[in-house]
Each structure stands twice: as C-alpha cells, then as structure tokens.
Amino acid sequence: MTLTRERIVLAALELVATHGYGGTTMPMVAATAEVSTGLLYQYFPSKTDLFDEVFRQASQREIDACAAAAASESGAGERLAAIIRTFAHRALKRPRLAWALLAEPAAPQIDEDRLRFREPYRAIFVTVIEDGIDSREFRAQNAHTSAAAIVGALAEAMIGPLALGVLSKRAAQRVVEDIVALCLAAVLDHAASAKRGQGTKAPVPPSAKETP
C-alpha cells in the first residue's frame, strides 16, 4: 500500500469512527488526508470501495486483538473470557466505529464482508473451546457450533445501546460481564468441575471433539 493510499484509508477510518459511514463524505476524507478529491478517486473510484477497505482494515485490527487475547497461557475459560472482554471493551472505547463495523446500514459489499469476517472470530473461539475440551474444563461439544453461537451472541449483544455508547460505563461493564457469564455457562463442564472439586476426574468422552 502506497503512503498516500494508506493516509487516505486512515483518514477515512477516523472519520467513520466519528461520523459513521452515512456522515462521512469523500470531500471530508480528501480534506482530512490532505489530498485533492480527484486524487482520492484515483485510488478509490467510489465511496463503497473506500469504505470497504476501511471496514477490512478496522475489522482485521479487532481480529488481531482478539487473537492476542486468546494466545495467553491461562486456562481455556480465562482465555475465552479474555477474548470476549477484549472485543467488548474495544467496541466500548470507540462505539461509533463498533456500530459501523457491526450493524450500520451500508453497501451490500460491506454486508458481505461482515459475514466473511466472522469466520476468523469463529476460528479463534474454536481453538480455545477445543483446548478446553482437551483439558476437561469444557464439556463435550461441537466446537464449531459453539464458536459460531458465541460469535453471534457477542455481535448481537453489542448492537444497539451498547455499541452506540448510550449506556453508562457501569451499565456497559455489567452487560459485558453478563455476556462473559452466558458464554462460559454454555461451554463449561459443570459436572466435571463438581467432580474435580471432590477429588475425582471426569472422563473425556470419545466424541469430545466433533467435526462440523
């Protein structure tokens, strides 16, 4: 990516983070990036092309942050909670950008990318869930199905008042912890945890890791 193109994308990203897709215009981007409108259109023939690149870069940053949270050496449950908190807290830090990435009405091209960019999140959760199954921390389950359900629940819970930043900081934090508790409750092996607490290890069923 050339320096000029990168400057344009970064300028557009900051404007979208403040005004959303609908409130950001090509002349605004050109002025912020300190390029002419004509030069802007040489790099991005349409607003959709520019916003799609903004979406891709911004989404990849969030994916990278979640992957880093998943890479710790703690237990699977702690890692799963860390991913969710990372996703949610980053969204709360820049709520207008979170709304743009998650749900703001946009061109069909961006809607298609929203679906594609869920897959890396699912892959991160699959790895953690499978690790939890191996360690007997999580119950036997289809890791792919559970990961998809968690990604869907997380995105849905962040849409609306939470993503738009209209909740108080305390209320938003409560919502985040509710999401963490819900997702952990869905995957934890509660029976095995109780048995381990009594000094007995729960067996791992042969079907602990099912394929989709």
Side-chain angles (χ1 to χ4, degrees):
M1 181 183 292
T2 66
L3 291 177
T4 300
R5 190 177 191 275
E6 183 177 5
R7 192 164 75 246
I8 290 170
V9 174
L10 289 176
L13 194 157
E14 291 305 314
L15 288 168
V16 169
T18 302
H19 307 288
Y21 296 127
T24 300
T25 66
M26 294 295 265
M28 287 169 64
V29 175
T32 303
E34 298 181 340
V35 299
S36 68
T37 304
L39 181 59
L40 172 59
Y41 277 105
Q42 288 182 32
Y43 284 97
F44 296 97
S46 71
K47 185 176 178 179
T48 296
D49 291 329
L50 174 57
F51 283 179
D52 191 51
E53 182 62 27
V54 167
F55 175 88
R56 288 168 178 269
Q57 290 200 26
S59 294
Q60 190 60 54
R61 289 183 185 182
E62 303 310 310
I63 291 167
D64 292 344
C66 289
S72 70
E73 297 181 358
S74 54
E78 292 177 0
R79 288 162 61 202
L80 188 145
I83 299 166
I84 295 170
R85 291 191 181 105
T86 296
F87 182 95
H89 288 154
R90 287 176 66 88
L92 293 171
K93 188 175 181 180
R94 307 193 78 179
R96 196 64 189 79
L97 179 60
W99 172 250
L101 296 179
L102 290 170
E104 182 180 358
Q109 188 173 338
I110 293 176
D111 285 336
E112 291 173 6
D113 278 342
R114 280 181 177 138
L115 295 177
R116 279 196 294 269
F117 270 79
R118 285 196 175 196
E119 177 52 37
Y121 288 111
R122 288 194 292 268
I124 293 169
F125 281 112
V126 165
T127 298
V128 174
I129 292 170
E130 289 183 339
D131 288 347
I133 294 170
D134 286 340
S135 66
R136 300 186 177 98
E137 187 176 351
F138 294 166
R139 62 177 174 78
Q141 60 197 280
N142 185 314
H144 293 266
T145 300
S146 297
I150 290 173
V151 170
L154 183 54
E156 185 65 25
M158 294 301 297
I159 292 173
L162 190 61
L164 288 174
V166 299
L167 295 179
S168 69
K169 184 176 180 180
R170 183 175 180 181
Q173 182 61 37
R174 217 165 32 236
V175 172
V176 173
E177 292 309 313
D178 283 345
I179 298 169
V180 170
L182 175 68
C183 293
L184 283 175
V187 298
L188 284 173
D189 189 337
H190 301 286
S193 297
K195 290 180 180 179
R196 283 198 295 274
Q198 298 169 1
T200 304
K201 285 188 176 181
V204 179
S207 60
K209 280 197 252 183
E210 303 174 14
T211 56

